[in-house]
Amino acid sequence: PVVAAFGVRPSNSRAAALRVQASFSDMSSQARNVLGTPLECCCLAPRTGYYRDGFCKTDESDYGRHVICAKVTKEFLEYSRSRGNDLMTPAPHFNFPGLKPGDKWCLCASRWREALEAGVAPPVFLKCTHVKALQYVTMEQLKAHAVDLKEAGAGEQQQQQAGSSSSSKAHSEL
């Protein structure tokens, strides 16, 4: 259905408004990415995410699990259209602008996995990809397509160093 394809119901839906309102509550501070750190914004132009708040967050009403932040490619967009999900054509009544190569977008985890198997998976942003993506794909698969792998690795090293230096400091103070 169209809801699964674009991730939201028509903008006049009260239920959609309540989901958006809930997304701006404490959910963003609780959402985690595949690296275990706070989920970062995927994109605000175009405004992406199941809630259209820029984040690849999800809940039980998101049947497509729009949790993988990707930089879409021409090959992926054409593949997605061939599978029945035209992401290039605007659908204003669903608050969907239509995508072009280079746009960042929260993709359905299962569609990204299909594209991976077809050899057309677009690059991903680990810091912006929700941890629930790991229910559909492996961390190794995501890392193999990560745009921010080097940056994410540096962040992980800094966290580990901060943790070990604070534990060293604690031991030296004993």
PDB file of all heavy atoms in Angstrom, residues 12 39 51 57 76 79 126:
ATOM      1  N   ASN A  12      -3.789  15.017   6.565  1.00  0.00           N
ATOM      2  CA  ASN A  12      -4.965  15.388   7.319  1.00  0.00           C
ATOM      3  C   ASN A  12      -5.360  14.334   8.351  1.00  0.00           C
ATOM      4  O   ASN A  12      -6.346  14.477   9.041  1.00  0.00           O
ATOM      5  CB  ASN A  12      -6.144  15.675   6.383  1.00  0.00           C
ATOM      6  CG  ASN A  12      -6.521  14.458   5.559  1.00  0.00           C
ATOM      7  OD1 ASN A  12      -5.900  13.413   5.666  1.00  0.00           O
ATOM      8  ND2 ASN A  12      -7.543  14.616   4.734  1.00  0.00           N
ATOM      9  N   LEU A  39      20.802   8.259  18.028  1.00  0.00           N
ATOM     10  CA  LEU A  39      20.477   8.350  16.610  1.00  0.00           C
ATOM     11  C   LEU A  39      20.610   9.792  16.146  1.00  0.00           C
ATOM     12  O   LEU A  39      20.105  10.709  16.794  1.00  0.00           O
ATOM     13  CB  LEU A  39      19.036   7.868  16.379  1.00  0.00           C
ATOM     14  CG  LEU A  39      18.559   7.773  14.939  1.00  0.00           C
ATOM     15  CD1 LEU A  39      19.327   6.694  14.181  1.00  0.00           C
ATOM     16  CD2 LEU A  39      17.062   7.470  14.913  1.00  0.00           C
ATOM     17  N   TYR A  51       8.221   9.631  10.556  1.00  0.00           N
ATOM     18  CA  TYR A  51       7.525  10.768  11.163  1.00  0.00           C
ATOM     19  C   TYR A  51       7.767  12.075  10.426  1.00  0.00           C
ATOM     20  O   TYR A  51       7.253  13.105  10.823  1.00  0.00           O
ATOM     21  CB  TYR A  51       7.977  10.944  12.615  1.00  0.00           C
ATOM     22  CG  TYR A  51       7.625   9.791  13.498  1.00  0.00           C
ATOM     23  CD1 TYR A  51       8.580   8.839  13.843  1.00  0.00           C
ATOM     24  CD2 TYR A  51       6.345   9.644  13.993  1.00  0.00           C
ATOM     25  CE1 TYR A  51       8.263   7.781  14.672  1.00  0.00           C
ATOM     26  CE2 TYR A  51       6.018   8.593  14.822  1.00  0.00           C
ATOM     27  CZ  TYR A  51       6.987   7.663  15.158  1.00  0.00           C
ATOM     28  OH  TYR A  51       6.665   6.610  15.966  1.00  0.00           O
ATOM     29  N   LYS A  57      13.497   6.921  12.746  1.00  0.00           N
ATOM     30  CA  LYS A  57      12.871   6.280  13.906  1.00  0.00           C
ATOM     31  C   LYS A  57      11.709   5.426  13.433  1.00  0.00           C
ATOM     32  O   LYS A  57      11.212   5.596  12.325  1.00  0.00           O
ATOM     33  CB  LYS A  57      12.374   7.336  14.893  1.00  0.00           C
ATOM     34  CG  LYS A  57      13.496   8.132  15.506  1.00  0.00           C
ATOM     35  CD  LYS A  57      13.004   9.103  16.535  1.00  0.00           C
ATOM     36  CE  LYS A  57      12.154  10.168  15.908  1.00  0.00           C
ATOM     37  NZ  LYS A  57      11.784  11.242  16.822  1.00  0.00           N
ATOM     38  N   PHE A  76      19.619   2.484  -7.472  1.00  0.00           N
ATOM     39  CA  PHE A  76      18.673   2.065  -6.435  1.00  0.00           C
ATOM     40  C   PHE A  76      17.265   2.571  -6.740  1.00  0.00           C
ATOM     41  O   PHE A  76      16.282   1.831  -6.593  1.00  0.00           O
ATOM     42  CB  PHE A  76      19.100   2.546  -5.047  1.00  0.00           C
ATOM     43  CG  PHE A  76      18.034   2.294  -4.017  1.00  0.00           C
ATOM     44  CD1 PHE A  76      17.858   1.026  -3.495  1.00  0.00           C
ATOM     45  CD2 PHE A  76      17.165   3.304  -3.627  1.00  0.00           C
ATOM     46  CE1 PHE A  76      16.835   0.770  -2.584  1.00  0.00           C
ATOM     47  CE2 PHE A  76      16.150   3.065  -2.717  1.00  0.00           C
ATOM     48  CZ  PHE A  76      15.983   1.791  -2.192  1.00  0.00           C
ATOM     49  N   TYR A  79      15.791   0.520  -9.412  1.00  0.00           N
ATOM     50  CA  TYR A  79      15.484  -0.806  -8.878  1.00  0.00           C
ATOM     51  C   TYR A  79      14.204  -0.751  -8.044  1.00  0.00           C
ATOM     52  O   TYR A  79      13.304  -1.588  -8.208  1.00  0.00           O
ATOM     53  CB  TYR A  79      16.650  -1.326  -8.030  1.00  0.00           C
ATOM     54  CG  TYR A  79      16.310  -2.596  -7.302  1.00  0.00           C
ATOM     55  CD1 TYR A  79      16.300  -3.817  -7.973  1.00  0.00           C
ATOM     56  CD2 TYR A  79      15.972  -2.580  -5.955  1.00  0.00           C
ATOM     57  CE1 TYR A  79      15.964  -4.993  -7.312  1.00  0.00           C
ATOM     58  CE2 TYR A  79      15.634  -3.747  -5.294  1.00  0.00           C
ATOM     59  CZ  TYR A  79      15.639  -4.949  -5.973  1.00  0.00           C
ATOM     60  OH  TYR A  79      15.291  -6.110  -5.318  1.00  0.00           O
ATOM     61  N   LEU A 126      25.790   5.203   9.112  1.00  0.00           N
ATOM     62  CA  LEU A 126      25.624   4.403  10.326  1.00  0.00           C
ATOM     63  C   LEU A 126      25.079   5.217  11.497  1.00  0.00           C
ATOM     64  O   LEU A 126      24.238   4.728  12.250  1.00  0.00           O
ATOM     65  CB  LEU A 126      26.954   3.757  10.715  1.00  0.00           C
ATOM     66  CG  LEU A 126      27.571   2.818   9.677  1.00  0.00           C
ATOM     67  CD1 LEU A 126      28.948   2.351  10.137  1.00  0.00           C
ATOM     68  CD2 LEU A 126      26.655   1.641   9.391  1.00  0.00           C
TER      69      LEU A 126
END
